[in-house]
Amino acid sequence: MRKYIWKLFTHFVNLISHTHTFHAHFSLLFTIGTTIAATLLTYLYHKINPSGAANIGLIYILTIMLISYHTDKYRYGILAAIISVFCINYLYTYPFYEFNFTMTGYPITFLVMYMISILSSATTFHMKDQARKIQEDEKLIMEAEKEKLRANLLRAISHDLRTPLTSMIGASSSYLENGDTLDPQDKTDLVQQIYEDANWLLHMVENLLSVTRITSNGVNVLKKSPEVIEEVLFDAVNTMRKRYPEFQVHVSVPEDLLVAPMDPLLIKQVILNLLENSWFHSNSKKPANCYLSSDEQQIYVHVRDYGNGIPKDKLEYIFDAVPSAPSSATDSRKGMGIGLSICKAIIRAHNGEIAVCNHTEGTEFYFSLPKEGMHFEQND
């Protein structure tokens, strides 16, 4: 009987040790080390409390579950279960320090203990495997979202970048070819058009560079720090007023300071994009409104215009970087595609949400940021 048990044990160890991968060696060493540690612990416990033999089995079961969780194969949990049963038989069952499987009732005890150990090992391994599959599915979803963003950006670039370039080439060509016949006002208009298109291209490049700050090789590299959202908001509004002196906006903020962890440059870019959309696309009859609100967990930034509104069929896809048709000749070279898609990517990277809705007099964009100390699952 002893020879058979020893051969079975030797065969099992040889089966495991034939695997030459790093993980296999780690799993084997972890199994042996943890089992030895559990045996030493139970031995000391038995010396201190000889009548507490029932708890020894629980310690070994806990050890088996620990091994199953930290190793990558069923066999290590099974190996630990076999070793545990033999240790209990040899060290803590009469006659002590001898293997004895012939005592009345012991074969049933042996089988029950072994089955409990195997089931514990299998259940723990299954839970770990399920957690791994869920994690892999989440990674696939994140990669799909990133691929969708890349595809949408490429589609939008052909519109939002090529159109102003074409306009600049046309204006500069007219200036060079007809410079002698143009009056000073026409020359000024052409230069002004080139200037505006160059600024628009600069803003688009800033948006595209923002994407590289969000992720690098699929790893989130945002460097967030607690910032007062009011300061970021006023910084964006002041930048907007410098770029477009005719732009008008009313800003209102609550008396309490609202703090959220963020990359302030990226959040400023989001606010700028929303303000630019309200200026170029809404044909607003009144100054835009930009204001802050909050609840117990979130801070909200709102940008409201009083213009044309957005058609209902476009609301659902407004953040998907699909180039939009110009609403008038004044914005024929300024599509909404890239800017709003970048806004969505930045806010999602901050664990927030961005949305849009029409109201009775125009459109309102708004986004949320978790307050300092709040933690949410990453969405992108």
Side-chain angles (χ1 to χ4, degrees):
M1 184 66 177
R2 292 182 182 179
K3 290 182 179 180
Y4 175 75
I5 294 172
W6 178 251
K7 287 182 179 180
L8 178 64
F9 176 76
T10 303
H11 175 73
F12 212 102
V13 172
N14 288 336
L15 179 64
I16 297 175
S17 61
H18 285 162
T19 307
H20 298 289
T21 64
F22 170 80
H23 292 293
H25 287 301
F26 169 79
S27 297
L28 179 59
L29 291 175
F30 184 82
T31 300
I32 295 174
T34 305
T35 305
I36 291 174
T39 302
L40 292 175
L41 178 62
T42 55
Y43 186 80
L44 291 175
Y45 177 78
H46 186 66
K47 286 292 185 180
I48 297 172
N49 183 20
S51 62
N55 294 327
I56 291 175
L58 297 177
I59 295 175
Y60 275 113
I61 290 176
L62 180 61
T63 302
I64 293 166
M65 295 178 70
L66 184 65
I67 290 171
S68 299
Y69 184 80
H70 288 284
T71 55
D72 57 352
K73 299 292 182 182
Y74 275 106
R75 57 194 180 195
Y76 299 106
I78 296 174
L79 173 62
I82 294 174
I83 295 175
S84 299
V85 172
F86 288 162
C87 287
I88 291 174
N89 180 273
Y90 187 80
L91 296 173
Y92 310 116
T93 304
Y94 182 84
F96 298 111
Y97 308 113
E98 291 185 16
F99 288 112
N100 187 348
F101 298 95
T102 60
M103 293 177 59
T104 303
Y106 189 79
I108 296 177
T109 304
F110 174 86
L111 290 175
V112 170
M113 179 63 188
Y114 181 71
M115 290 305 298
I116 290 175
S117 302
I118 296 299
L119 288 174
S120 300
S121 172
T123 301
T124 304
F125 186 86
H126 179 71
M127 291 174 61
K128 186 181 71 171
D129 189 55
Q130 287 294 107
R132 178 183 58 80
K133 290 180 179 179
I134 292 173
Q135 189 176 26
E136 290 177 354
D137 290 342
E138 290 177 348
K139 288 182 179 179
L140 290 175
I141 293 173
M142 291 174 62
E143 287 300 320
E145 287 289 334
K146 291 174 184 176
E147 287 300 323
K148 181 180 178 182
L149 175 61
R150 293 189 189 102
N152 287 336
L153 286 175
L154 288 175
R155 186 165 64 249
I157 285 172
S158 64
H159 178 276
D160 281 359
L161 296 186
R162 185 176 60 186
T163 304
L165 278 173
T166 303
S167 176
M168 291 170 66
I169 292 171
S172 59
S173 176
S174 297
Y175 190 96
L176 292 173
E177 293 176 1
N178 306 305
D180 295 336
T181 60
L182 293 173
D183 58 47
Q185 183 59 45
D186 290 335
K187 291 181 180 180
T188 301
D189 291 341
L190 288 173
V191 174
Q192 181 66 29
Q193 181 179 333
I194 294 172
Y195 174 78
E196 291 178 357
D197 286 329
N199 265 326
W200 185 257
L201 282 175
L202 176 61
H203 302 159
M204 286 299 97
V205 171
E206 289 175 351
N207 276 327
L208 294 175
L209 290 176
S210 295
V211 174
T212 65
R213 297 189 61 198
I214 298 172
T215 57
S216 176
N217 296 324
V219 179
N220 195 319
V221 294
L222 280 184
K223 294 182 179 179
K224 295 187 287 186
S225 59
E227 301 286 344
V228 178
I229 187 64
E230 177 182 335
E231 296 178 358
V232 180
L233 174 61
F234 279 114
D235 187 18
V237 170
N238 289 334
T239 301
M240 185 70 181
R241 285 170 173 163
K242 290 178 182 178
R243 291 180 179 178
Y244 312 103
E246 297 179 358
F247 175 72
Q248 294 184 355
V249 59
H250 293 159
V251 181
S252 59
V253 297
E255 294 182 0
D256 296 333
L257 290 180
L258 300 177
V259 180
M262 69 179 79
D263 184 320
L265 292 178
L266 290 178
I267 297 303
K268 176 184 176 181
Q269 186 67 42
V270 171
I271 299 173
L272 275 174
N273 285 347
L274 297 182
L275 291 173
E276 285 182 348
N277 277 331
S278 72
W279 172 240
F280 287 113
H281 301 288
S282 68
N283 293 319
S284 186
K285 305 300 186 296
K286 297 191 296 185
N289 277 341
C290 191
Y291 63 96
L292 303 178
S293 63
S294 67
D295 56 27
E296 293 182 356
Q297 296 183 335
Q298 304 272 359
I299 297 172
Y300 300 89
V301 180
H302 307 256
V303 176
R304 171 178 285 216
D305 64 56
Y306 299 89
N308 300 330
I310 298 175
K312 291 183 179 180
D313 59 332
K314 293 184 179 180
L315 282 175
E316 184 178 355
Y317 307 102
I318 195 70
F319 297 103
D320 291 338
V322 179
S324 58
S327 58
S328 68
T330 59
D331 66 354
S332 61
R333 60 184 182 275
K334 301 176 177 65
M336 295 170 63
I338 291 179
L340 292 179
S341 181
I342 298 297
C343 290
K344 179 180 178 180
I346 292 173
I347 297 303
R348 294 292 294 276
H350 282 79
N351 300 325
E353 296 293 337
I354 187 168
V356 60
C357 65
N358 287 326
H359 58 89
T360 56
E361 299 182 76
T363 303
E364 180 174 327
F365 286 87
Y366 57 95
F367 64 87
S368 65
L369 294 173
K371 285 185 176 180
E372 187 177 12
M374 297 296 174
H375 300 280
F376 300 92
E377 294 294 329
Q378 179 73 29
N379 297 313
D380 313 307

